[in-house]
Amino acid sequence: MFSIGDTVFYGAHGICSIEDIQEQKFGGEAQSYYILRSHHSTSLTLYHPVNAVNSKLKKLMTKEKAEAVLQCFENAADSWNDRTTTRHQSYQSIIKSAGHLEIAQMTNTLLRKKLELEAIDKKLPAQDTQILQSVTAILYEELATTLQTTASDISDKVDEIIQMN
């Protein structure tokens, strides 16, 4: 169970702070909900049942895990699937898994493909660009929070790692 003031990771919403715990009634019986404030979109208030069976709320990654995630960017890109639909289904599955290392490797692949295409004056397909932007915003924010830096610094560090490898 989390407490008021805790900072948590909440699936696709990224980093959130627990502002309150209140009884709410959303279409059924009243139950306790965490009242969450998104760090990514501060005007967004989220409600999550305290006793949810398959809770999407997770503790922030540890410093050791954050360093392991950054090391993923030293890896070669995964093989590129030219079938857009298959590639995006795979990416959605990775995102839903909320596995930091898997998401980092997917991001690594997308960033390396983007650089490869830019080198020949081409662009990453729009759907891939959209996935890359949404995933990096959330991943870099969690890394920055854990490592006590900024998302911009994380972005610079990732770019540096990729350029060196």
Side-chain angles (χ1 to χ4, degrees):
M1 185 164 172
F2 298 102
S3 301
I4 295 170
D6 285 352
T7 302
V8 296
F9 182 80
Y10 185 32
H13 297 287
I15 305 293
C16 295
S17 295
I18 297 177
E19 292 189 333
D20 203 356
I21 300 172
Q22 299 177 356
E23 290 289 318
Q24 297 286 331
K25 186 175 181 179
F26 294 113
E29 292 183 28
Q31 60 178 320
S32 294
Y33 281 83
Y34 293 116
I35 312 303
L36 306 163
R37 176 75 53 207
S38 170
H39 285 211
H40 185 66
S41 178
T42 56
S43 63
L44 183 61
T45 300
L46 302 160
Y47 298 83
H48 188 280
V50 170
N51 296 319
V53 176
N54 295 318
S55 177
K56 302 286 185 202
L57 290 182
K58 308 283 184 220
K59 290 183 179 183
L60 292 182
M61 69 175 87
T62 63
K63 183 177 180 185
E64 293 77 19
K65 179 80 168 230
E67 290 167 353
V69 166
L70 283 174
Q71 286 178 346
C72 284
F73 293 99
E74 296 174 6
N75 299 339
D78 289 339
S79 60
W80 187 257
N81 188 329
D82 288 325
R83 296 191 56 142
T84 304
T85 303
T86 305
R87 186 173 66 247
H88 291 170
Q89 287 173 345
S90 172
Y91 289 167
Q92 291 305 318
S93 176
I94 290 169
I95 292 166
K96 284 181 185 174
S97 79
H100 292 106
L101 297 174
E102 295 81 5
I103 290 171
Q105 183 59 36
M106 176 191 74
T107 303
N108 180 43
T109 298
L110 286 166
L111 287 169
R112 289 179 184 277
K113 185 65 170 182
K114 180 180 178 207
L115 288 172
E116 176 188 320
L117 291 171
E118 286 173 350
I120 56 173
D121 285 334
K122 292 189 176 183
K123 291 183 178 182
L124 194 63
Q127 284 183 310
D128 293 308
T129 299
Q130 186 177 24
I131 289 171
L132 183 60
Q133 288 172 342
S134 64
V135 168
T136 55
I138 292 169
L139 179 63
Y140 291 2
E141 179 184 18
E142 184 173 8
L143 287 168
T145 301
T146 299
L147 297 172
Q148 298 179 333
T149 187
T150 65
S152 177
D153 286 345
I154 296 295
S155 178
D156 291 345
K157 177 74 173 168
V158 167
D159 290 345
E160 177 184 319
I161 293 169
I162 287 175
Q163 292 298 329
M164 291 174 34
N165 294 288

